[in-house]
Amino acid sequence: MDARSQPEQPQGEGDWTLLQVRADRSFWQQTRTLAPGRSVTWFVITRPPEQLTYDSFDEAEAMFRAMDED
């Protein structure tokens, strides 16, 4: 996938990493630093206009895969 076709990064502070892409959705990891040496990570699925946020990678990945069945 070339840079022109990459999905738009979701809004929000922190470092965003694109994990997976499908034609209708993308799966991101957001890591936000709370204090030196402390950070929190969320997993975000974007399927415009929806944005779903999960604390667990496993739960987010399961939902991302389940969307293939829609």
Side-chain angles (χ1 to χ4, degrees), residues 2-45:
D2 65 41
R4 292 171 294 182
S5 62
Q6 284 213 354
E8 187 174 323
Q9 175 179 306
Q11 297 288 321
E13 295 180 29
D15 296 322
W16 289 91
T17 304
L18 181 59
L19 301 176
Q20 294 184 47
V21 177
R22 300 289 188 276
D24 65 334
R25 66 194 183 280
S26 56
F27 182 22
W28 296 83
Q29 175 180 313
Q30 178 189 23
T31 302
R32 186 170 164 198
T33 301
L34 302 175
R38 276 190 76 209
S39 63
V40 63
T41 299
W42 291 282
F43 300 93
V44 179
I45 299 170

Side-chain angles (χ1 to χ4, degrees), residues 54-66:
Y54 297 89
D55 296 327
S56 158
F57 173 84
D58 292 336
E59 184 179 14
E61 185 180 39
M63 176 57 77
F64 190 80
R65 289 176 185 253

